[in-house]
Protein backbone atom coordinates (compact mmCIF):
# COMPACT_ATOMS: atom_id res chain seq x y z
CA UNK A 1 0.00 0.00 0.00
CA UNK A 2 2.75 2.45 0.91
CA UNK A 3 4.53 1.69 -2.37
CA UNK A 4 1.37 2.50 -4.33
CA UNK A 5 0.83 5.70 -2.35
CA UNK A 6 4.42 6.73 -2.98
CA UNK A 7 4.08 6.09 -6.73
CA UNK A 8 0.93 8.25 -6.72
CA UNK A 9 2.87 11.00 -4.95
CA UNK A 10 0.55 10.78 -1.94
CA UNK A 11 2.87 9.42 0.72
CA UNK A 12 3.90 12.91 1.78
CA UNK A 13 0.53 14.69 1.74
CA UNK A 14 0.14 15.39 5.46
CA UNK A 15 1.08 18.88 6.68
CA UNK A 16 2.12 17.82 10.19
CA UNK A 17 3.78 14.58 9.16
CA UNK A 18 6.53 12.76 10.94
CA UNK A 19 9.90 12.51 9.25
CA UNK A 20 9.36 8.84 8.42
CA UNK A 21 7.34 5.72 9.10
CA UNK A 22 9.10 3.08 11.14
CA UNK A 23 9.50 -0.48 9.92
CA UNK A 24 7.54 -1.69 12.95
CA UNK A 25 4.57 0.51 11.99
CA UNK A 26 4.61 -0.74 8.39
CA UNK A 27 4.82 -4.38 9.50
CA UNK A 28 1.97 -3.91 12.00
CA UNK A 29 -0.17 -2.22 9.35
CA UNK A 30 0.65 -5.00 6.89
CA UNK A 31 -0.45 -7.68 9.36
CA UNK A 32 -3.69 -5.83 10.12
CA UNK A 33 -4.48 -5.34 6.42
CA UNK A 34 -3.74 -9.01 5.68
CA UNK A 35 -6.07 -10.08 8.49
CA UNK A 36 -8.90 -7.66 7.72
CA UNK A 37 -8.86 -7.20 3.94
CA UNK A 38 -7.34 -10.32 2.34
CA UNK A 39 -9.14 -11.56 -0.76
CA UNK A 40 -8.68 -15.11 -2.04
CA UNK A 41 -7.74 -15.01 -5.74
CA UNK A 42 -7.13 -18.70 -6.41
CA UNK A 43 -4.36 -21.25 -6.45
CA UNK A 44 -0.87 -20.33 -7.57
CA UNK A 45 0.36 -23.41 -9.46
CA UNK A 46 3.93 -22.13 -9.75
CA UNK A 47 4.27 -22.00 -5.95
CA UNK A 48 4.05 -25.40 -4.32
CA UNK A 49 4.22 -26.47 -0.71
CA UNK A 50 4.30 -30.22 -0.05
CA UNK A 51 3.29 -30.76 -3.70
CA UNK A 52 0.11 -28.66 -3.31
CA UNK A 53 -0.52 -25.21 -4.82
CA UNK A 54 -0.32 -22.35 -2.35
CA UNK A 55 -3.51 -20.34 -1.89
CA UNK A 56 -2.91 -16.85 -3.25
CA UNK A 57 -4.40 -13.75 -1.64
CA UNK A 58 -4.44 -10.05 -2.40
CA UNK A 59 -5.26 -7.14 -0.15
CA UNK A 60 -7.95 -4.65 -1.12
CA UNK A 61 -7.36 -0.97 -0.36
CA UNK A 62 -9.32 2.18 -1.07
CA UNK A 63 -7.59 5.49 -1.61
CA UNK A 64 -9.31 8.87 -1.41
CA UNK A 65 -7.41 11.56 -3.30
CA UNK A 66 -8.26 15.14 -2.40
CA UNK A 67 -7.25 17.95 -4.72
CA UNK A 68 -7.19 21.55 -3.56
CA UNK A 69 -6.30 24.81 -5.23
CA UNK A 70 -5.64 28.18 -3.70
CA UNK A 71 -6.24 31.59 -5.24
CA UNK A 72 -5.99 35.17 -4.10
CA UNK A 73 -6.60 38.34 -6.13
CA UNK A 74 -3.69 40.42 -7.40
CA UNK A 75 -3.64 43.96 -8.75
CA UNK A 76 -2.20 42.74 -12.07
CA UNK A 77 -5.18 40.43 -12.63
CA UNK A 78 -7.56 41.68 -15.38
CA UNK A 79 -10.80 43.11 -14.04
CA UNK A 80 -14.20 42.04 -15.33
CA UNK A 81 -16.01 44.48 -17.59
CA UNK A 82 -19.21 46.09 -16.42
CA UNK A 83 -22.42 44.19 -16.97
CA UNK A 84 -23.98 44.84 -20.40
CA UNK A 85 -20.75 45.92 -22.17
CA UNK A 86 -20.20 42.64 -24.07
CA UNK A 87 -19.95 42.76 -27.87
CA UNK A 88 -21.65 39.36 -28.33
CA UNK A 89 -24.52 37.63 -26.58
CA UNK A 90 -24.00 34.20 -25.08
CA UNK A 91 -26.84 32.87 -27.25
CA UNK A 92 -24.84 33.82 -30.38
CA UNK A 93 -21.88 31.67 -29.38
CA UNK A 94 -22.15 28.07 -30.48
Amino acid sequence: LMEHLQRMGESNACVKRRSGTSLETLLAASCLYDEMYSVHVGDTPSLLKDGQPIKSTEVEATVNVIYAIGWSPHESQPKALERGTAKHRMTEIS
Side-chain angles (χ1 to χ4, degrees), residues 60-76:
E60 287 187 357
T62 302
V63 178
N64 293 321
V65 180
I66 301 170
Y67 293 97
I69 187 168
W71 174 84
S72 64
H74 192 268
E75 62 272 359
S76 66

Side-chain angles (χ1 to χ4, degrees), residues 1-11 61 63:
L1 178 63
M2 288 303 293
E3 182 180 341
H4 287 286
L5 288 173
Q6 187 175 27
R7 288 182 181 179
M8 291 171 21
E10 299 299 327
S11 61
V63 178

Side-chain angles (χ1 to χ4, degrees), residues 9 13 15-16 24 37 42 70-71 91 93:
V15 173
K16 292 184 178 182
E24 290 81 14
Y37 302 109
W71 174 84
T91 57
I93 301 173

Side-chain angles (χ1 to χ4, degrees), residues 34-72:
D34 283 345
E35 184 67 30
M36 296 171 65
Y37 302 109
S38 290
V39 177
H40 176 71
V41 293
D43 296 336
T44 308
S46 59
L47 300 174
L48 299 176
K49 181 177 181 182
D50 299 326
Q52 298 296 319
I54 296 174
K55 300 287 185 189
S56 180
T57 59
E58 293 179 352
V59 175
E60 287 187 357
T62 302
V63 178
N64 293 321
V65 180
I66 301 170
Y67 293 97
I69 187 168
W71 174 84
S72 64

Side-chain angles (χ1 to χ4, degrees), residues 18-40:
R18 294 182 183 172
S19 61
T21 305
S22 69
L23 178 61
E24 290 81 14
T25 301
L26 292 175
L27 289 174
S30 176
C31 290
L32 288 172
Y33 263 86
D34 283 345
E35 184 67 30
M36 296 171 65
Y37 302 109
S38 290
V39 177
H40 176 71

